Amino acid sequence: MLKHKIIGLDVGSKTVGVAISDLMGWTAQGLDTLRIDEENGDLGIEKLVDIIDKEKVGTVIIGLPKNMNNSIGFRGEASLHYKETLQERRPDLEIKTWDERLSTMAAERSLLEADLSRQKRKKVIDKMAAVFILQGYLDSIQ
């Protein structure tokens, strides 16, 4: 059993998908999608800190999109910047990155299999990608 919950984040330029673990650390559930404006420096950190405090989170897993050759491109750099910004705001948190190369594709596939309309998929894809990121991490620590 975990001492605290873990959240997973799928960081995009306009949204951040948020997933949370159960207290046993077995399963990840979609929690929220935060609207952000990366271009103008609004990363939604305050909203995220509110969630972290309310849910008693001790560890944050941030999806790190890598290129297939393992290099880190523009989106990966943006995720690392998000991690640094959150760490500055909350130095007490354990913040890790997790290779999320295929999480958005896996989330999209599962939503297609669930036969959700494009409109509905668009609303939940980031949250689902965060679930895949967090579940991958949770499975690796079992």
Side-chain angles (χ1 to χ4, degrees):
M1 188 149 138
L2 299 171
K3 292 188 273 290
H4 57 264
K5 292 179 185 174
I6 301 172
I7 61 172
L9 304 177
D10 178 51
V11 179
S13 59
K14 293 183 171 62
T15 60
V16 176
V18 182
I20 191 158
S21 73
D22 63 344
L23 270 172
M24 302 298 279
W26 291 343
T27 62
Q29 297 91 31
L31 184 67
D32 205 350
T33 301
L34 305 178
R35 293 244 154 253
I36 67 169
D37 185 354
E38 185 180 74
E39 206 174 285
N40 292 311
D42 174 14
L43 299 178
I45 298 292
E46 291 308 313
K47 286 182 252 174
L48 182 59
V49 166
D50 288 346
I51 291 170
I52 288 167
D53 292 342
K54 179 179 168 229
E55 297 290 340
K56 297 176 177 51
V57 169
T59 303
V60 177
I61 307 301
I62 297 177
L64 181 62
K66 293 182 177 180
N67 297 322
M68 285 305 171
N69 67 3
N70 222 24
S71 64
I72 295 176
F74 177 74
R75 285 306 327 148
E77 292 292 336
S79 291
L80 292 173
H81 174 71
Y82 197 91
K83 176 183 187 265
E84 289 167 16
T85 305
L86 180 57
Q87 194 76 77
E88 284 169 13
R89 176 68 174 76
R90 289 296 300 272
D92 58 310
L93 286 174
E94 178 181 26
I95 305 176
K96 300 177 178 182
T97 57
W98 183 256
D99 185 350
E100 63 127 299
R101 266 178 271 208
L102 304 175
S103 63
T104 302
M105 286 192 309
E108 180 81 24
R109 195 173 319 115
S110 71
L111 293 172
L112 283 168
E113 286 169 7
D115 204 26
L116 283 177
S117 69
R118 177 173 286 148
Q119 189 86 25
K120 286 182 181 169
R121 283 198 311 269
K122 199 173 173 203
K123 286 182 182 168
V124 297
I125 188 72
D126 300 314
K127 195 182 342 180
M128 281 294 293
V131 168
F132 277 86
I133 290 163
L134 181 55
Q135 192 64 56
Y137 173 78
L138 293 173
D139 291 348
S140 80
I141 62 170
Q142 296 300 329

